[in-house]
Structure formats: C-alpha cells, structure tokens
Amino acid sequence: MTKKILCVDDDPNVLQALARQHGKRFEIQTALGCENGIVALRDDGPFAVVISDLRMPGLDGIRFLSIVKQMAPDTVRVMLTGQCDSQSQKEAVSELKVFEFLTKPCPSDKLARTLESALKHYDASTQKVGMGVR
C-alpha cells in the first residue's frame, strides 16, 4: 500500500515549506505546476494523496484534480489554496470528491491531521477495491 503524497503548486516556496514541515512524517514528492504534477502521476505513481493549489497558471487546480481523478481514481484529492471562493469550493467537493478543502496559510498541525486522515481513507478505499467492493 502506497503512502506517497504529491504536492502540486506554482510557488516553489510553498512546495519547499510543505516538504520541510512534513517530509519527515510523510513521504512527500513535489511538482512545480500542473504539467509537472501530471508527469509525476504518470512516472512516479501511484500516490495515496495529491494536494493541489487552486489558482495556478495554465491548468487550474480544479482541472488538474479532474485529471488526477481520471488517471488515479483511488488517489485522495486535497485542495490547499490561498484564494478561495464558494463556487470553486462547491465544484471541487461535489464534482471531484475532494476530500478536504484547506486555505493558506494552513496550520502545520491541521495539514498533518488532514494528511493522516486522507491516508487512512486511501487505505480503506483500496482495501475495499482489493476485496471486490467499489
């Protein structure tokens, strides 16, 4: 069972901070921008969890997470954004089944709890698939 977490953001400082704060507790891989995130999914997956920013140049986080859902439907999707509007949040949660929608700056302990919960959710959902339940 994988425990890998992919963090995708267009700000390298955010990615460095996530890796620094959570890299000892979790297996974190970072990708600068959605295009690199797609490459990481294809080449380095599977990932248990993908964390994505919402507002990024090119593909936005919602479109990116829809690709994640297609490429890796069992991967748990988390949105971490500094710019949140209720319509984006509703769309992400309802259409993409985003596990959690967090706003920046997100306290480190809250993100760690979310990642722990997301990993448990991934384990539970992939165990059901392994038993023939979907």
Side-chain angles (χ1 to χ4, degrees), residues 3-43:
K3 298 287 185 186
K4 294 192 312 185
I5 297 170
L6 176 63
C7 301
V8 180
D9 201 299
D10 62 322
D11 184 342
N13 295 322
V14 169
L15 295 174
Q16 290 170 359
L18 286 170
R20 184 176 59 252
Q21 290 173 354
H22 300 286
K24 290 183 179 154
R25 186 169 176 184
F26 302 103
E27 188 178 343
I28 301 278
Q29 182 173 334
T30 61
L32 186 61
C34 295
E35 293 79 13
N36 290 325
I38 292 167
V39 170
L41 275 171
R42 183 190 66 217
D43 295 349

PDB file of all heavy atoms in Angstrom, residues 3-43:
ATOM      1  N   LYS A   3       2.086   5.088   0.461  1.00  0.00           N
ATOM      2  CA  LYS A   3       1.876   6.192   1.411  1.00  0.00           C
ATOM      3  C   LYS A   3       2.371   7.497   0.799  1.00  0.00           C
ATOM      4  O   LYS A   3       2.496   8.494   1.494  1.00  0.00           O
ATOM      5  CB  LYS A   3       2.625   5.923   2.722  1.00  0.00           C
ATOM      6  CG  LYS A   3       2.162   4.694   3.455  1.00  0.00           C
ATOM      7  CD  LYS A   3       0.815   4.910   4.084  1.00  0.00           C
ATOM      8  CE  LYS A   3       0.420   3.699   4.919  1.00  0.00           C
ATOM      9  NZ  LYS A   3      -0.918   3.797   5.436  1.00  0.00           N
ATOM     10  N   LYS A   4       2.668   7.483  -0.500  1.00  0.00           N
ATOM     11  CA  LYS A   4       3.242   8.664  -1.149  1.00  0.00           C
ATOM     12  C   LYS A   4       2.207   9.769  -1.308  1.00  0.00           C
ATOM     13  O   LYS A   4       1.052   9.521  -1.623  1.00  0.00           O
ATOM     14  CB  LYS A   4       3.812   8.306  -2.526  1.00  0.00           C
ATOM     15  CG  LYS A   4       4.997   7.385  -2.457  1.00  0.00           C
ATOM     16  CD  LYS A   4       5.761   7.228  -3.748  1.00  0.00           C
ATOM     17  CE  LYS A   4       4.942   6.948  -4.955  1.00  0.00           C
ATOM     18  NZ  LYS A   4       5.741   6.702  -6.153  1.00  0.00           N
ATOM     19  N   ILE A   5       2.695  11.008  -1.104  1.00  0.00           N
ATOM     20  CA  ILE A   5       1.858  12.198  -1.218  1.00  0.00           C
ATOM     21  C   ILE A   5       2.507  13.128  -2.227  1.00  0.00           C
ATOM     22  O   ILE A   5       3.695  13.451  -2.110  1.00  0.00           O
ATOM     23  CB  ILE A   5       1.720  12.897   0.147  1.00  0.00           C
ATOM     24  CG1 ILE A   5       1.021  11.962   1.146  1.00  0.00           C
ATOM     25  CG2 ILE A   5       0.981  14.228   0.002  1.00  0.00           C
ATOM     26  CD1 ILE A   5       1.052  12.444   2.573  1.00  0.00           C
ATOM     27  N   LEU A   6       1.732  13.567  -3.212  1.00  0.00           N
ATOM     28  CA  LEU A   6       2.206  14.501  -4.227  1.00  0.00           C
ATOM     29  C   LEU A   6       1.629  15.881  -3.926  1.00  0.00           C
ATOM     30  O   LEU A   6       0.417  16.026  -3.801  1.00  0.00           O
ATOM     31  CB  LEU A   6       1.777  14.046  -5.624  1.00  0.00           C
ATOM     32  CG  LEU A   6       2.132  14.975  -6.784  1.00  0.00           C
ATOM     33  CD1 LEU A   6       3.652  15.121  -6.933  1.00  0.00           C
ATOM     34  CD2 LEU A   6       1.517  14.456  -8.084  1.00  0.00           C
ATOM     35  N   CYS A   7       2.507  16.881  -3.835  1.00  0.00           N
ATOM     36  CA  CYS A   7       2.099  18.263  -3.596  1.00  0.00           C
ATOM     37  C   CYS A   7       2.365  19.065  -4.861  1.00  0.00           C
ATOM     38  O   CYS A   7       3.501  19.075  -5.359  1.00  0.00           O
ATOM     39  CB  CYS A   7       2.887  18.875  -2.447  1.00  0.00           C
ATOM     40  SG  CYS A   7       2.706  17.994  -0.897  1.00  0.00           S
ATOM     41  N   VAL A   8       1.337  19.728  -5.378  1.00  0.00           N
ATOM     42  CA  VAL A   8       1.442  20.483  -6.626  1.00  0.00           C
ATOM     43  C   VAL A   8       1.063  21.939  -6.359  1.00  0.00           C
ATOM     44  O   VAL A   8      -0.024  22.219  -5.844  1.00  0.00           O
ATOM     45  CB  VAL A   8       0.528  19.881  -7.717  1.00  0.00           C
ATOM     46  CG1 VAL A   8       0.640  20.669  -9.013  1.00  0.00           C
ATOM     47  CG2 VAL A   8       0.868  18.416  -7.938  1.00  0.00           C
ATOM     48  N   ASP A   9       1.976  22.845  -6.712  1.00  0.00           N
ATOM     49  CA  ASP A   9       1.748  24.275  -6.529  1.00  0.00           C
ATOM     50  C   ASP A   9       2.632  24.999  -7.529  1.00  0.00           C
ATOM     51  O   ASP A   9       3.626  24.437  -7.994  1.00  0.00           O
ATOM     52  CB  ASP A   9       2.108  24.691  -5.092  1.00  0.00           C
ATOM     53  CG  ASP A   9       1.441  25.992  -4.669  1.00  0.00           C
ATOM     54  OD1 ASP A   9       1.709  27.036  -5.313  1.00  0.00           O
ATOM     55  OD2 ASP A   9       0.667  25.974  -3.704  1.00  0.00           O
ATOM     56  N   ASP A  10       2.263  26.237  -7.867  1.00  0.00           N
ATOM     57  CA  ASP A  10       3.098  27.022  -8.778  1.00  0.00           C
ATOM     58  C   ASP A  10       4.111  27.878  -8.024  1.00  0.00           C
ATOM     59  O   ASP A  10       4.915  28.560  -8.638  1.00  0.00           O
ATOM     60  CB  ASP A  10       2.232  27.907  -9.685  1.00  0.00           C
ATOM     61  CG  ASP A  10       1.411  28.916  -8.908  1.00  0.00           C
ATOM     62  OD1 ASP A  10       0.909  28.565  -7.822  1.00  0.00           O
ATOM     63  OD2 ASP A  10       1.269  30.050  -9.386  1.00  0.00           O
ATOM     64  N   ASP A  11       4.110  27.816  -6.702  1.00  0.00           N
ATOM     65  CA  ASP A  11       5.042  28.585  -5.884  1.00  0.00           C
ATOM     66  C   ASP A  11       6.074  27.637  -5.267  1.00  0.00           C
ATOM     67  O   ASP A  11       5.735  26.836  -4.380  1.00  0.00           O
ATOM     68  CB  ASP A  11       4.265  29.321  -4.784  1.00  0.00           C
ATOM     69  CG  ASP A  11       5.131  30.228  -3.938  1.00  0.00           C
ATOM     70  OD1 ASP A  11       6.373  30.078  -3.937  1.00  0.00           O
ATOM     71  OD2 ASP A  11       4.562  31.099  -3.256  1.00  0.00           O
ATOM     72  N   PRO A  12       7.332  27.732  -5.703  1.00  0.00           N
ATOM     73  CA  PRO A  12       8.349  26.828  -5.159  1.00  0.00           C
ATOM     74  C   PRO A  12       8.547  26.984  -3.653  1.00  0.00           C
ATOM     75  O   PRO A  12       8.895  26.022  -2.971  1.00  0.00           O
ATOM     76  CB  PRO A  12       9.619  27.179  -5.938  1.00  0.00           C
ATOM     77  CG  PRO A  12       9.362  28.488  -6.577  1.00  0.00           C
ATOM     78  CD  PRO A  12       7.881  28.646  -6.706  1.00  0.00           C
ATOM     79  N   ASN A  13       8.299  28.177  -3.118  1.00  0.00           N
ATOM     80  CA  ASN A  13       8.449  28.380  -1.672  1.00  0.00           C
ATOM     81  C   ASN A  13       7.419  27.577  -0.886  1.00  0.00           C
ATOM     82  O   ASN A  13       7.724  27.031   0.178  1.00  0.00           O
ATOM     83  CB  ASN A  13       8.340  29.868  -1.323  1.00  0.00           C
ATOM     84  CG  ASN A  13       9.481  30.670  -1.907  1.00  0.00           C
ATOM     85  OD1 ASN A  13      10.621  30.219  -1.952  1.00  0.00           O
ATOM     86  ND2 ASN A  13       9.172  31.863  -2.384  1.00  0.00           N
ATOM     87  N   VAL A  14       6.197  27.493  -1.407  1.00  0.00           N
ATOM     88  CA  VAL A  14       5.156  26.690  -0.756  1.00  0.00           C
ATOM     89  C   VAL A  14       5.559  25.217  -0.780  1.00  0.00           C
ATOM     90  O   VAL A  14       5.448  24.515   0.231  1.00  0.00           O
ATOM     91  CB  VAL A  14       3.783  26.897  -1.441  1.00  0.00           C
ATOM     92  CG1 VAL A  14       2.759  25.884  -0.945  1.00  0.00           C
ATOM     93  CG2 VAL A  14       3.287  28.313  -1.210  1.00  0.00           C
ATOM     94  N   LEU A  15       6.042  24.746  -1.916  1.00  0.00           N
ATOM     95  CA  LEU A  15       6.456  23.342  -2.032  1.00  0.00           C
ATOM     96  C   LEU A  15       7.606  23.025  -1.081  1.00  0.00           C
ATOM     97  O   LEU A  15       7.605  21.972  -0.422  1.00  0.00           O
ATOM     98  CB  LEU A  15       6.849  23.028  -3.477  1.00  0.00           C
ATOM     99  CG  LEU A  15       5.713  23.116  -4.494  1.00  0.00           C
ATOM    100  CD1 LEU A  15       6.265  22.921  -5.907  1.00  0.00           C
ATOM    101  CD2 LEU A  15       4.615  22.107  -4.194  1.00  0.00           C
ATOM    102  N   GLN A  16       8.585  23.927  -1.005  1.00  0.00           N
ATOM    103  CA  GLN A  16       9.715  23.715  -0.091  1.00  0.00           C
ATOM    104  C   GLN A  16       9.246  23.674   1.354  1.00  0.00           C
ATOM    105  O   GLN A  16       9.700  22.838   2.143  1.00  0.00           O
ATOM    106  CB  GLN A  16      10.762  24.807  -0.285  1.00  0.00           C
ATOM    107  CG  GLN A  16      11.506  24.707  -1.598  1.00  0.00           C
ATOM    108  CD  GLN A  16      12.363  25.945  -1.883  1.00  0.00           C
ATOM    109  OE1 GLN A  16      12.390  26.898  -1.100  1.00  0.00           O
ATOM    110  NE2 GLN A  16      13.051  25.927  -3.008  1.00  0.00           N
ATOM    111  N   ALA A  17       8.324  24.567   1.705  1.00  0.00           N
ATOM    112  CA  ALA A  17       7.806  24.598   3.073  1.00  0.00           C
ATOM    113  C   ALA A  17       7.047  23.311   3.400  1.00  0.00           C
ATOM    114  O   ALA A  17       7.219  22.742   4.495  1.00  0.00           O
ATOM    115  CB  ALA A  17       6.905  25.812   3.272  1.00  0.00           C
ATOM    116  N   LEU A  18       6.222  22.832   2.477  1.00  0.00           N
ATOM    117  CA  LEU A  18       5.489  21.581   2.706  1.00  0.00           C
ATOM    118  C   LEU A  18       6.447  20.414   2.899  1.00  0.00           C
ATOM    119  O   LEU A  18       6.272  19.599   3.817  1.00  0.00           O
ATOM    120  CB  LEU A  18       4.542  21.297   1.537  1.00  0.00           C
ATOM    121  CG  LEU A  18       3.286  22.152   1.460  1.00  0.00           C
ATOM    122  CD1 LEU A  18       2.581  21.929   0.123  1.00  0.00           C
ATOM    123  CD2 LEU A  18       2.351  21.857   2.607  1.00  0.00           C
ATOM    124  N   ALA A  19       7.455  20.330   2.052  1.00  0.00           N
ATOM    125  CA  ALA A  19       8.424  19.234   2.160  1.00  0.00           C
ATOM    126  C   ALA A  19       9.217  19.340   3.466  1.00  0.00           C
ATOM    127  O   ALA A  19       9.457  18.335   4.145  1.00  0.00           O
ATOM    128  CB  ALA A  19       9.359  19.251   0.958  1.00  0.00           C
ATOM    129  N   ARG A  20       9.598  20.548   3.837  1.00  0.00           N
ATOM    130  CA  ARG A  20      10.383  20.756   5.060  1.00  0.00           C
ATOM    131  C   ARG A  20       9.546  20.437   6.303  1.00  0.00           C
ATOM    132  O   ARG A  20      10.003  19.755   7.216  1.00  0.00           O
ATOM    133  CB  ARG A  20      10.902  22.189   5.107  1.00  0.00           C
ATOM    134  CG  ARG A  20      11.798  22.513   6.275  1.00  0.00           C
ATOM    135  CD  ARG A  20      12.356  23.929   6.225  1.00  0.00           C
ATOM    136  NE  ARG A  20      11.308  24.947   6.199  1.00  0.00           N
ATOM    137  CZ  ARG A  20      10.983  25.687   5.124  1.00  0.00           C
ATOM    138  NH1 ARG A  20      11.643  25.523   3.991  1.00  0.00           N
ATOM    139  NH2 ARG A  20      10.021  26.583   5.192  1.00  0.00           N
ATOM    140  N   GLN A  21       8.302  20.901   6.338  1.00  0.00           N
ATOM    141  CA  GLN A  21       7.466  20.717   7.522  1.00  0.00           C
ATOM    142  C   GLN A  21       6.933  19.296   7.681  1.00  0.00           C
ATOM    143  O   GLN A  21       6.712  18.840   8.800  1.00  0.00           O
ATOM    144  CB  GLN A  21       6.278  21.680   7.477  1.00  0.00           C
ATOM    145  CG  GLN A  21       6.665  23.120   7.666  1.00  0.00           C
ATOM    146  CD  GLN A  21       5.489  24.068   7.458  1.00  0.00           C
ATOM    147  OE1 GLN A  21       4.395  23.667   7.062  1.00  0.00           O
ATOM    148  NE2 GLN A  21       5.723  25.336   7.700  1.00  0.00           N
ATOM    149  N   HIS A  22       6.716  18.615   6.558  1.00  0.00           N
ATOM    150  CA  HIS A  22       6.038  17.318   6.635  1.00  0.00           C
ATOM    151  C   HIS A  22       6.849  16.159   6.056  1.00  0.00           C
ATOM    152  O   HIS A  22       6.382  15.015   6.097  1.00  0.00           O
ATOM    153  CB  HIS A  22       4.675  17.408   5.935  1.00  0.00           C
ATOM    154  CG  HIS A  22       3.786  18.432   6.550  1.00  0.00           C
ATOM    155  ND1 HIS A  22       3.161  18.234   7.762  1.00  0.00           N
ATOM    156  CD2 HIS A  22       3.447  19.681   6.160  1.00  0.00           C
ATOM    157  CE1 HIS A  22       2.469  19.309   8.074  1.00  0.00           C
ATOM    158  NE2 HIS A  22       2.622  20.209   7.123  1.00  0.00           N
ATOM    159  N   GLY A  23       8.045  16.439   5.541  1.00  0.00           N
ATOM    160  CA  GLY A  23       8.838  15.402   4.878  1.00  0.00           C
ATOM    161  C   GLY A  23       9.375  14.317   5.786  1.00  0.00           C
ATOM    162  O   GLY A  23       9.657  13.217   5.330  1.00  0.00           O
ATOM    163  N   LYS A  24       9.503  14.601   7.067  1.00  0.00           N
ATOM    164  CA  LYS A  24       9.983  13.565   7.994  1.00  0.00           C
ATOM    165  C   LYS A  24       8.863  12.614   8.397  1.00  0.00           C
ATOM    166  O   LYS A  24       9.107  11.447   8.662  1.00  0.00           O
ATOM    167  CB  LYS A  24      10.595  14.213   9.232  1.00  0.00           C
ATOM    168  CG  LYS A  24      11.897  14.916   8.940  1.00  0.00           C
ATOM    169  CD  LYS A  24      12.518  15.492  10.177  1.00  0.00           C
ATOM    170  CE  LYS A  24      13.844  16.148   9.778  1.00  0.00           C
ATOM    171  NZ  LYS A  24      14.237  17.204  10.668  1.00  0.00           N
ATOM    172  N   ARG A  25       7.646  13.123   8.416  1.00  0.00           N
ATOM    173  CA  ARG A  25       6.496  12.325   8.853  1.00  0.00           C
ATOM    174  C   ARG A  25       5.822  11.586   7.700  1.00  0.00           C
ATOM    175  O   ARG A  25       5.248  10.512   7.889  1.00  0.00           O
ATOM    176  CB  ARG A  25       5.496  13.265   9.524  1.00  0.00           C
ATOM    177  CG  ARG A  25       4.335  12.571  10.151  1.00  0.00           C
ATOM    178  CD  ARG A  25       3.544  13.529  10.998  1.00  0.00           C
ATOM    179  NE  ARG A  25       2.362  12.906  11.553  1.00  0.00           N
ATOM    180  CZ  ARG A  25       1.462  13.538  12.261  1.00  0.00           C
ATOM    181  NH1 ARG A  25       1.617  14.814  12.522  1.00  0.00           N
ATOM    182  NH2 ARG A  25       0.409  12.914  12.722  1.00  0.00           N
ATOM    183  N   PHE A  26       5.879  12.204   6.496  1.00  0.00           N
ATOM    184  CA  PHE A  26       5.207  11.640   5.330  1.00  0.00           C
ATOM    185  C   PHE A  26       6.184  11.535   4.171  1.00  0.00           C
ATOM    186  O   PHE A  26       7.181  12.243   4.115  1.00  0.00           O
ATOM    187  CB  PHE A  26       4.036  12.554   4.901  1.00  0.00           C
ATOM    188  CG  PHE A  26       3.017  12.791   5.973  1.00  0.00           C
ATOM    189  CD1 PHE A  26       2.987  13.983   6.673  1.00  0.00           C
ATOM    190  CD2 PHE A  26       2.074  11.822   6.280  1.00  0.00           C
ATOM    191  CE1 PHE A  26       2.048  14.213   7.658  1.00  0.00           C
ATOM    192  CE2 PHE A  26       1.125  12.042   7.267  1.00  0.00           C
ATOM    193  CZ  PHE A  26       1.112  13.242   7.966  1.00  0.00           C
ATOM    194  N   GLU A  27       5.853  10.662   3.226  1.00  0.00           N
ATOM    195  CA  GLU A  27       6.653  10.529   2.002  1.00  0.00           C
ATOM    196  C   GLU A  27       6.127  11.547   0.983  1.00  0.00           C
ATOM    197  O   GLU A  27       5.165  11.290   0.267  1.00  0.00           O
ATOM    198  CB  GLU A  27       6.534   9.105   1.466  1.00  0.00           C
ATOM    199  CG  GLU A  27       7.470   8.819   0.321  1.00  0.00           C
ATOM    200  CD  GLU A  27       7.358   7.388  -0.167  1.00  0.00           C
ATOM    201  OE1 GLU A  27       6.804   6.531   0.550  1.00  0.00           O
ATOM    202  OE2 GLU A  27       7.826   7.135  -1.295  1.00  0.00           O
ATOM    203  N   ILE A  28       6.784  12.718   0.944  1.00  0.00           N
ATOM    204  CA  ILE A  28       6.323  13.849   0.149  1.00  0.00           C
ATOM    205  C   ILE A  28       7.140  13.956  -1.139  1.00  0.00           C
ATOM    206  O   ILE A  28       8.367  13.905  -1.113  1.00  0.00           O
ATOM    207  CB  ILE A  28       6.479  15.174   0.935  1.00  0.00           C
ATOM    208  CG1 ILE A  28       5.688  15.145   2.243  1.00  0.00           C
ATOM    209  CG2 ILE A  28       6.130  16.371   0.066  1.00  0.00           C
ATOM    210  CD1 ILE A  28       4.243  15.453   2.149  1.00  0.00           C
ATOM    211  N   GLN A  29       6.434  14.128  -2.249  1.00  0.00           N
ATOM    212  CA  GLN A  29       7.057  14.487  -3.525  1.00  0.00           C
ATOM    213  C   GLN A  29       6.389  15.776  -3.982  1.00  0.00           C
ATOM    214  O   GLN A  29       5.177  15.935  -3.824  1.00  0.00           O
ATOM    215  CB  GLN A  29       6.864  13.385  -4.561  1.00  0.00           C
ATOM    216  CG  GLN A  29       7.533  13.693  -5.892  1.00  0.00           C
ATOM    217  CD  GLN A  29       7.494  12.524  -6.851  1.00  0.00           C
ATOM    218  OE1 GLN A  29       7.420  11.365  -6.433  1.00  0.00           O
ATOM    219  NE2 GLN A  29       7.532  12.806  -8.132  1.00  0.00           N
ATOM    220  N   THR A  30       7.172  16.684  -4.553  1.00  0.00           N
ATOM    221  CA  THR A  30       6.602  17.952  -5.003  1.00  0.00           C
ATOM    222  C   THR A  30       6.701  18.069  -6.518  1.00  0.00           C
ATOM    223  O   THR A  30       7.563  17.465  -7.153  1.00  0.00           O
ATOM    224  CB  THR A  30       7.319  19.154  -4.352  1.00  0.00           C
ATOM    225  OG1 THR A  30       8.699  19.145  -4.732  1.00  0.00           O
ATOM    226  CG2 THR A  30       7.199  19.107  -2.835  1.00  0.00           C
ATOM    227  N   ALA A  31       5.788  18.865  -7.066  1.00  0.00           N
ATOM    228  CA  ALA A  31       5.787  19.156  -8.503  1.00  0.00           C
ATOM    229  C   ALA A  31       5.428  20.625  -8.678  1.00  0.00           C
ATOM    230  O   ALA A  31       4.429  21.096  -8.139  1.00  0.00           O
ATOM    231  CB  ALA A  31       4.788  18.265  -9.234  1.00  0.00           C
ATOM    232  N   LEU A  32       6.244  21.327  -9.427  1.00  0.00           N
ATOM    233  CA  LEU A  32       6.024  22.745  -9.681  1.00  0.00           C
ATOM    234  C   LEU A  32       5.085  22.895 -10.869  1.00  0.00           C
ATOM    235  O   LEU A  32       5.471  22.718 -12.024  1.00  0.00           O
ATOM    236  CB  LEU A  32       7.363  23.446  -9.952  1.00  0.00           C
ATOM    237  CG  LEU A  32       7.319  24.961 -10.093  1.00  0.00           C
ATOM    238  CD1 LEU A  32       6.807  25.617  -8.815  1.00  0.00           C
ATOM    239  CD2 LEU A  32       8.709  25.491 -10.425  1.00  0.00           C
ATOM    240  N   GLY A  33       3.813  23.159 -10.594  1.00  0.00           N
ATOM    241  CA  GLY A  33       2.810  23.336 -11.636  1.00  0.00           C
ATOM    242  C   GLY A  33       2.119  22.049 -12.029  1.00  0.00           C
ATOM    243  O   GLY A  33       2.604  20.944 -11.778  1.00  0.00           O
ATOM    244  N   CYS A  34       0.973  22.220 -12.650  1.00  0.00           N
ATOM    245  CA  CYS A  34       0.126  21.079 -13.014  1.00  0.00           C
ATOM    246  C   CYS A  34       0.774  20.136 -14.018  1.00  0.00           C
ATOM    247  O   CYS A  34       0.627  18.920 -13.914  1.00  0.00           O
ATOM    248  CB  CYS A  34      -1.203  21.584 -13.562  1.00  0.00           C
ATOM    249  SG  CYS A  34      -2.186  22.466 -12.349  1.00  0.00           S
ATOM    250  N   GLU A  35       1.460  20.704 -15.008  1.00  0.00           N
ATOM    251  CA  GLU A  35       2.074  19.851 -16.024  1.00  0.00           C
ATOM    252  C   GLU A  35       3.074  18.895 -15.390  1.00  0.00           C
ATOM    253  O   GLU A  35       3.100  17.700 -15.717  1.00  0.00           O
ATOM    254  CB  GLU A  35       2.731  20.704 -17.118  1.00  0.00           C
ATOM    255  CG  GLU A  35       1.739  21.486 -17.967  1.00  0.00           C
ATOM    256  CD  GLU A  35       1.209  22.755 -17.297  1.00  0.00           C
ATOM    257  OE1 GLU A  35       1.765  23.199 -16.261  1.00  0.00           O
ATOM    258  OE2 GLU A  35       0.205  23.305 -17.806  1.00  0.00           O
ATOM    259  N   ASN A  36       3.903  19.400 -14.463  1.00  0.00           N
ATOM    260  CA  ASN A  36       4.854  18.539 -13.759  1.00  0.00           C
ATOM    261  C   ASN A  36       4.127  17.566 -12.841  1.00  0.00           C
ATOM    262  O   ASN A  36       4.604  16.446 -12.625  1.00  0.00           O
ATOM    263  CB  ASN A  36       5.861  19.376 -12.973  1.00  0.00           C
ATOM    264  CG  ASN A  36       6.821  20.107 -13.883  1.00  0.00           C
ATOM    265  OD1 ASN A  36       7.204  19.610 -14.933  1.00  0.00           O
ATOM    266  ND2 ASN A  36       7.195  21.312 -13.500  1.00  0.00           N
ATOM    267  N   GLY A  37       2.983  17.977 -12.306  1.00  0.00           N
ATOM    268  CA  GLY A  37       2.179  17.076 -11.491  1.00  0.00           C
ATOM    269  C   GLY A  37       1.665  15.891 -12.297  1.00  0.00           C
ATOM    270  O   GLY A  37       1.676  14.751 -11.830  1.00  0.00           O
ATOM    271  N   ILE A  38       1.235  16.148 -13.520  1.00  0.00           N
ATOM    272  CA  ILE A  38       0.753  15.068 -14.399  1.00  0.00           C
ATOM    273  C   ILE A  38       1.893  14.107 -14.736  1.00  0.00           C
ATOM    274  O   ILE A  38       1.710  12.885 -14.709  1.00  0.00           O
ATOM    275  CB  ILE A  38       0.110  15.659 -15.667  1.00  0.00           C
ATOM    276  CG1 ILE A  38      -1.188  16.391 -15.302  1.00  0.00           C
ATOM    277  CG2 ILE A  38      -0.155  14.571 -16.713  1.00  0.00           C
ATOM    278  CD1 ILE A  38      -1.753  17.268 -16.399  1.00  0.00           C
ATOM    279  N   VAL A  39       3.060  14.646 -15.003  1.00  0.00           N
ATOM    280  CA  VAL A  39       4.236  13.805 -15.277  1.00  0.00           C
ATOM    281  C   VAL A  39       4.559  12.945 -14.058  1.00  0.00           C
ATOM    282  O   VAL A  39       4.832  11.741 -14.186  1.00  0.00           O
ATOM    283  CB  VAL A  39       5.449  14.667 -15.693  1.00  0.00           C
ATOM    284  CG1 VAL A  39       6.722  13.841 -15.743  1.00  0.00           C
ATOM    285  CG2 VAL A  39       5.188  15.340 -17.035  1.00  0.00           C
ATOM    286  N   ALA A  40       4.524  13.542 -12.866  1.00  0.00           N
ATOM    287  CA  ALA A  40       4.804  12.783 -11.646  1.00  0.00           C
ATOM    288  C   ALA A  40       3.783  11.667 -11.444  1.00  0.00           C
ATOM    289  O   ALA A  40       4.159  10.539 -11.095  1.00  0.00           O
ATOM    290  CB  ALA A  40       4.827  13.717 -10.441  1.00  0.00           C
ATOM    291  N   LEU A  41       2.512  11.965 -11.679  1.00  0.00           N
ATOM    292  CA  LEU A  41       1.471  10.930 -11.565  1.00  0.00           C
ATOM    293  C   LEU A  41       1.757   9.765 -12.503  1.00  0.00           C
ATOM    294  O   LEU A  41       1.650   8.607 -12.115  1.00  0.00           O
ATOM    295  CB  LEU A  41       0.101  11.506 -11.909  1.00  0.00           C
ATOM    296  CG  LEU A  41      -0.665  12.207 -10.819  1.00  0.00           C
ATOM    297  CD1 LEU A  41      -1.884  12.890 -11.409  1.00  0.00           C
ATOM    298  CD2 LEU A  41      -1.089  11.240  -9.741  1.00  0.00           C
ATOM    299  N   ARG A  42       2.109  10.099 -13.728  1.00  0.00           N
ATOM    300  CA  ARG A  42       2.358   9.072 -14.740  1.00  0.00           C
ATOM    301  C   ARG A  42       3.634   8.280 -14.441  1.00  0.00           C
ATOM    302  O   ARG A  42       3.634   7.054 -14.513  1.00  0.00           O
ATOM    303  CB  ARG A  42       2.468   9.729 -16.115  1.00  0.00           C
ATOM    304  CG  ARG A  42       2.646   8.743 -17.265  1.00  0.00           C
ATOM    305  CD  ARG A  42       2.992   9.427 -18.558  1.00  0.00           C
ATOM    306  NE  ARG A  42       4.324  10.031 -18.421  1.00  0.00           N
ATOM    307  CZ  ARG A  42       4.674  11.204 -18.947  1.00  0.00           C
ATOM    308  NH1 ARG A  42       3.801  11.920 -19.630  1.00  0.00           N
ATOM    309  NH2 ARG A  42       5.888  11.672 -18.784  1.00  0.00           N
ATOM    310  N   ASP A  43       4.698   8.982 -14.075  1.00  0.00           N
ATOM    311  CA  ASP A  43       6.004   8.338 -13.958  1.00  0.00           C
ATOM    312  C   ASP A  43       6.326   7.806 -12.564  1.00  0.00           C
ATOM    313  O   ASP A  43       7.091   6.850 -12.436  1.00  0.00           O
ATOM    314  CB  ASP A  43       7.116   9.313 -14.373  1.00  0.00           C
ATOM    315  CG  ASP A  43       7.039   9.698 -15.841  1.00  0.00           C
ATOM    316  OD1 ASP A  43       6.268   9.070 -16.608  1.00  0.00           O
ATOM    317  OD2 ASP A  43       7.751  10.651 -16.233  1.00  0.00           O
TER     318      ASP A  43
END
